[in-house]
Amino acid sequence: MIRCPECSAEIDVDEDEVEEGEILSCPECESELEVSQTHPVHLNLISDEDDDEEDEEEDAEHGEDGDLSDEEEDDDGDDEEEDEE
């Protein structure tokens, strides 16, 4: 019996039935776990850092509330001033 590195739930894994590099899912927290060693079985949490980085990039482009960034709003404002002249 091994434990999930994320939530410490017990995971029933047979050393003879898993392979190194295999991806498992925790039944409690649904975290993805990679088998890094088979005798004894050792699991590593697969991080979602790539997804988090993509989300941060989208937030930076559109602002936190989904609005256009200040730079994009300033460009629109400059056009209106030129029209008034």
Side-chain angles (χ1 to χ4, degrees):
M1 199 60 79
I2 57 175
R3 294 197 175 270
C4 172
E6 180 72 11
C7 70
S8 299
E10 290 185 353
I11 302 174
D12 186 21
V13 177
D14 186 352
E15 290 180 353
D16 298 326
E17 294 183 9
V18 294
E19 296 179 9
E20 194 170 314
E22 186 174 340
I23 306 298
L24 305 176
S25 180
C26 173
E28 294 295 319
C29 68
E30 298 182 2
S31 293
E32 289 187 338
L33 309 167
E34 180 180 11
V35 178
S36 61
Q37 180 178 313
T38 55
H39 295 284
V41 174
H42 186 265
L43 302 176
N44 287 333
L45 179 65
I46 297 176
S47 65
D48 294 330
E49 289 178 10
D50 293 337
D51 293 339
D52 293 341
E53 288 174 8
E54 289 176 10
D55 292 342
E56 289 174 9
E57 289 174 8
E58 289 175 9
D59 289 344
E61 290 176 9
H62 297 290
E64 291 181 12
D65 298 327
D67 297 333
L68 296 174
S69 68
D70 290 339
E71 292 176 7
E72 293 174 8
E73 289 176 6
D74 289 344
D75 289 344
D76 293 339
D78 292 342
D79 293 340
E80 291 176 11
E81 289 177 14
E82 290 175 11
D83 293 340
E84 292 175 8
E85 294 176 9

